[in-house]
Amino acid sequence: MAYKRRKFLLIWVITAAICLFLFLKYVSPKVFQVLMAKGHPMPTPSTLMMWYMIMGVLAGLVYATTSNQKFADFLGFLLPDSGPKIKILLQKLLFVGFPVIVGWFVYTWSIPGAASPVELRIQHPTLPQEFEKLDNPFRQADAETQRKCIEEGKILFQTYCRPCHGSKADGNGPFANSFRLRPINFQDPGTIATVVDNYLFWRIKEGGPGLPTESTPWDSAMPSWKDDLKDDEIWKIIMGEYDTAGVMPRQREKLE
Amino acid sequence: MNKKILLQLTKRSTFILIFLLFISFVSSMSLFQKAFAAEEAPAQTSKEGGVAAPGVELPQFDASVLAAAPAAVAGQPATGTGTTTAAVEEEEVGPVQYRTFFGIDSRVVVWIVSELHLMFAAFVLGVPIFAVIVEIVGFKGGDIKYDKMAKEFTKLLSAAFATTASLGGLLGFCLFGLYPEFMGHMTNVFAPTMYVYALMFFGEAFTLYGYYYSWEILKGTALRKWFHIMLGVMLNLFGTGLMFLTNSWATYMMSPAGIVPTTGKVLSLYHAMYNPLWMPVNIHRLIANVCFGGFVVGAYAAVKFLGSKSEEEKAHYDWMGYVGNFIGVGALIPLPFAGYWLGREVYSSSPVMGNIMMGGAFSWTFIVQAILIGMLFIGANYYLWLGMGRIKGSERYTKFIKYLIFVIFMCFAVWLTPHNLPLSGEERAMIGEQYHPFSKYFGVMAAKNAVVNLIILATFFSFLIYRRSNKGELAPFSEQGRAGKIGIFSAVIFCLLMLVSYAVSLNFVELEANIKSFVKPLIGALYIQSFFICFAAFLTFKNKGKLAQSMLFAVTACIAVLYFWYYGFQVMQKANLVLRYLSVTQVSIVMSCLIMNAIIDIFMFRKAKLVGGIVWGKMPVRSQYALILLCVVIVILMGLMGFIRSGLRMDWHIYGVLQDTSQWAYTPTLSYMGRIVGLIVALFLGLVAFVFWLANLGDKKKSEKAEEYEDAVVGYEKH
C-alpha cells in the first residue's frame, strides 16, 4: 500500500485538487445554504475559487517536492516502465485528459460572452476630513438623555431607514429585494461596528451621490438625506441604528 | 537515468519559476488596472486642470487656511514657461515650492531613490545585529566556523555601506532640490537633529570599518576579542540611533506633533520626534531589518552554493544559507505582532488614515501583502523541510510535514481572503447579499489574527522537528543538572511575569462597565495559560517533556486560535475598544508557548544521543532557489510596505499640516504602484548583486594568486 501511495503520488495530488474543486463548486454552496438558512445556494465567487485552487495545487506541489524521493516518484509516474495495468491506464488518461482540460479552460475563457465586469470594490471609501473632526453631540450626554436619543433615533430609523435596511437593521427591509446590491446588514460585525459615528454621519448625510470617485461605479442606492434630515436627527438615527443592530460603533482610541 | 534527466530539468525550471513569479507580481498589478481604468486617464492630469485625482478622494481638511493652499500652485513651473525670463519672473513672485528633475515626475524620483536607500539601509542596519551575535556564539563556543561566517557577513556589510551612504546623499539632494518648501518646513522643525544625525554617521562609519578591518588584528586574546565585539555593539548602537532619528522625521510626516498646525511654529522638538507613530515604526523596522538582512544573506549564500565547485565550499554556503534562513524566520515570527501594533496606532492617530489603510484605498495592497507574507512563511518552512533531507534520522518526523502543509495552506487561504470580494454583477445577484460567508468569516481581523498565530505555531513546530531530527534517545531530566533546572525555572518565571502582569493590568483598564465585562475572558485565558506553563514545567521535571510540549501547543491553539477567533467577532460587535487588549493577550499566550517549548526542547535534547550527523552541502538545488525566492519576496514586500506607509498621507506632505499641491498629489493606481515597485526591486537586486560581486573581487584575486603560487612551486619542484 505504501509502495502504491508513493508511486501514485502524482495521481493523489491531482485527485486532491479535483476534490477541492468539487468542494468549492458544489459542496460549499449547499453547506452555506443550509448553515445560513438561505433559499438558494451560496456559490463560491470565481475570484476566490481561482485563489483557493491555485493554493491547493501549490500545496500539492510543495508536498511532492519536500524530498528527492517524493519528487522522483511524483515525476516518475509519467515515465514508461512496467507497472501495474492501472498505472498504464491512468498514464494514458492523463496524457489525453490534461490537454483536453487545458483546451476546455482556454475555450471557456476565450469564447465571447456577455458578463458584467468583476469590480474591485473598496469597502470603506475615504472619509472626507471635514467629517473626521465631528463628534456625536449626544454621546457625551448623561445616561438618561442618551437613552432618550436612542429611542428617538430608533423611531426615526424605523421611519426613514426601515424600508431598505429592515426593522432589525439586518438589511431585510420590504424594499431590499428590489436592489441589485442588497442594503447592508448592520448586524454583521464587519460593517458599522468597524467604523466611527462620523463615518455613518457622512454616509447618511451625503448618501450614494456623495461617494468619492475612487473605484467607481458605486452601486449604492443610498439617498442623500442632507435636505430632509437635520444634523441632530442624523446623530440620533445613528445611535438608534447601532442599538437596533445590537453592535457598538468603533471608539476613538487613546494613543499610548 | 530518465528520472535524473527530469530532475535536472526541474532545476532549471525552478529558476525560471522564480523569475516568472517576480514578473507575474509586476504584471498582476496591471490586472488591477482594469478596475481602475476609468481613473487612469485623469491620473495623468494635473490638479490645475480641475480633474479629481485618481484612486482616492482628496481630503479637504482646512486646505483654505494653509500656507500651501492650492492658490500657491503658481510656484510650480507653469505650462509654456520654459524660458529663462519666465523662470526668473516666477522666482521673483515667491519662493519655489516644487522643481522637476529634467521634466521627470519628481515624486517618482524621490520614491525610487528613497526606497533604494531604505532597502540598503535595512541591510546595513540588520546584518550587524546578527553578525555580532554570531561572533559571540563563535567566541563562547570556540567554533571558528561562526567567526568566519560573522566576518563574511561584515564583508558584505562594508560593501553595502558605501552604496547606502551614496543613496542617502542622493536622496537628500533630491528632496532639497525638488521639494524645497517641504524640506524648509522639515529643516525648521528638525534642524538640531540633522546635525546629530551627521555626527552619528561618523560614528557608524568609524565603528563599521574599525569592526571589519580589525577582525584579524583583534584575535588572539579574550580581551582583544571582547574589545572587537564591543566595536560591533557600538556599530549597532550608532546604526539603531541613526534609524530612530530618521524614523522620527518620517513618522512626523504621518502623525505630526509638537507644532502649531496652522503656522508650523515649533512648540516642542521632543514631541515632534516622539510623535505617536515613532516608537511603533522603530520597533517594526528594527525587527524587519533583521528579517530582511537574514533573507538577503540567505540568498547570497544560495547563489554562492549554486556556484560552488568543491564539497567544502558547498557545505560552508549551505550552512550559511541555513543560518540566514533561521535569522530571517526568527525575526519574521514577531513581525506580524509589531505590524499589528503599528497599524493599530495608525488608526489611533487618525481614524481616517486607519480607514484608508485597512478598508479604503489601500485595502487591496494589504491583500498583496498577505500573499507575500504567506509566501515567506511557506518558503521558509519549505526550506526547513528540505533541510531535513541532509539529517540522518529525520525520517521519524517527515510524516508531520503533510499535516503542516495542510495547516499552513489552510491558514494562508484565510489570511488572504478579502472582506470585500471582487464580484461580478451576476455573482452578486446569486449571493444575494454584501458578503459571501467565506469573506464574512475569513475577511475580518479576528480571523486574520487567529490564522497568523496558527501559522507561527506551525512554523515553530517545523523548526522543532528539524532540530530534533538528529537527536535520538533522551537523557533523563535529572542528568541535566542545575543548568536544566535553572533554565526551565527562568522560562517559567519569564512567562508568568509576562502573562500574570498583563492579566493584573487588565483589571485596571479604564473602560465603561458594559465594555469592561468583555475583558474578563481575556484575564481568564491568561491565567489558564499561566497554569499550563507551570504544569508543563512540572511534566518536564518528571521526564515527560514531549507531553508537556504537545499539551502547550494544544492549549495555545485552543485559546489563541480557536477561542479568540470566535471571541474576536463578539468583541468586534459589542466592544471594539477591547480589540487591542485581545490582540496583546493573543500575542502573549503564543509567545509564552514558543518560549517555554523552546526552552524545554533545548534542555530535553541537550544530552540526547545523536542518531547521525548533518551532512552540510547535501541539499537539493531547489532549496537554494527557495532561499532566493525568500529574498525576492521580502524585497518586494519592503517596497510595497514603503509605498503604503508613505501613501497613507494621501495628498499631504505632512498630514493635516502641509498639503502637497504639486501635480503629483494623487494616490497612484495599483498597477502603477506595481510597476514602480517592480522597478525598485529589480534595481535593488541588481545593485546588491553588483556590490557583492565587487566585495568578492579581492578574494578571487587572492585565491587566483595562491593557485598561481602553488603551480609555480610545483613546477619549480619538478625541475
Side-chain angles (χ1 to χ4, degrees), chain B residues 450-607:
Chain B
V451 294
V452 82
N453 280 301
L454 192 54
I455 291 181
I456 287 167
L457 285 173
T459 305
F460 183 70
F461 186 78
S462 279
F463 177 69
L464 281 192
I465 60 171
Y466 175 89
R467 206 181 158 270
R468 56 174 72 166
S469 290
N470 190 25
K471 309 282 168 63
E473 201 182 320
L474 301 181
F477 195 79
S478 54
E479 283 183 21
Q480 302 295 344
R482 281 178 62 191
K485 284 174 190 159
I486 292 171
I488 297 288
F489 269 124
S490 308
V492 170
I493 289 167
F494 181 79
C495 291
L496 288 184
L497 274 176
M498 183 170 67
L499 296 168
V500 176
S501 64
Y502 190 62
V504 171
S505 73
L506 283 180
N507 282 307
F508 301 104
V509 291
E510 287 177 17
L511 291 169
E512 288 170 28
N514 60 330
I515 295 177
K516 202 169 177 180
S517 62
F518 284 88
V519 178
K520 279 185 183 163
L522 307 183
I523 299 171
L526 287 163
Y527 284 131
I528 290 170
Q529 183 76 0
S530 305
F531 168 76
F532 279 101
I533 291 283
C534 297
F535 193 48
F538 172 75
L539 286 175
T540 311
F541 289 137
K542 293 283 175 193
N543 289 327
K544 295 192 187 310
K546 284 185 183 175
L547 177 67
Q549 285 182 312
S550 312
M551 181 194 72
L552 261 187
F553 268 122
V555 170
T556 307
C558 286
I559 298 175
V561 180
L562 296 177
Y563 175 63
F564 282 163
W565 190 337
Y566 157 78
Y567 192 64
F569 279 100
Q570 298 287 318
V571 170
M572 271 176 71
Q573 274 175 304
K574 314 275 184 194
N576 58 57
L577 275 183
V578 177
L579 274 176
R580 60 163 52 205
Y581 306 114
L582 180 112
S583 57
V584 178
T585 307
Q586 214 166 9
V587 171
S588 307
I589 287 173
V590 171
M591 291 308 279
S592 68
C593 169
L594 301 187
I595 293 166
M596 196 63 206
N597 269 348
I599 301 292
I600 292 175
D601 213 68
I602 289 169
F603 289 107
M604 195 165 59
F605 284 93
R606 200 161 63 130
K607 289 179 181 170

Side-chain angles (χ1 to χ4, degrees), chain A residues 38 65 129 182 219 253, chain B residues 382 428 432-433 574 580 655:
Chain A
K38 296 277 177 188
T65 55
Q129 292 213 354
R182 287 175 69 84
D219 289 333
E253 295 179 34
Chain B
Y382 183 62
R428 195 168 291 167
E433 59 183 74
K574 314 275 184 194
R580 60 163 52 205
Y655 196 65

Side-chain angles (χ1 to χ4, degrees), chain A residues 38 40 43 46-47 52 65 68 116 119 121 123-124 129 132 182 214 219 246-251 253 256, chain B residues 55 61 347 350 359-360 364 382 417 419-420 422 425-428 432-433 436 573-574 576 580 622 655:
Chain A
K38 296 277 177 188
H40 57 85
S46 56
T47 322
Y52 288 170
T65 55
N68 281 345
S116 63
E119 288 166 20
R121 282 190 68 227
Q123 188 181 2
H124 301 305
Q129 292 213 354
E132 184 187 0
R182 287 175 69 84
E214 66 192 65
D219 289 333
V247 295
M248 294 281 287
R250 184 182 276 273
Q251 308 288 307
E253 295 179 34
E256 283 175 351
Chain B
F61 176 70
Y347 202 98
S350 163
W364 280 100
Y382 183 62
T417 303
H419 194 206
N420 241 328
E426 292 78 10
E427 281 174 336
R428 195 168 291 167
E433 59 183 74
H436 186 274
Q573 274 175 304
K574 314 275 184 194
N576 58 57
R580 60 163 52 205
R622 59 185 178 281
Y655 196 65

Side-chain angles (χ1 to χ4, degrees), chain A residues 4-5 38 47 57 68 78 83 88 101 105 118 193 204 233:
Chain A
K4 270 194 175 175
R5 205 167 53 221
K38 296 277 177 188
T47 322
V57 172
N68 281 345
L78 299 170
I88 295 161
I101 288 173
F105 271 115
V118 173
I204 295 171
E233 287 176 318

Side-chain angles (χ1 to χ4, degrees), chain A residues 47-65:
Chain A
T47 322
L48 215 50
M49 187 102 179
M50 186 181 72
W51 290 0
Y52 288 170
M53 282 308 297
I54 289 173
M55 274 193 292
V57 172
L58 196 64
L61 291 176
V62 164
Y63 176 67
T65 55

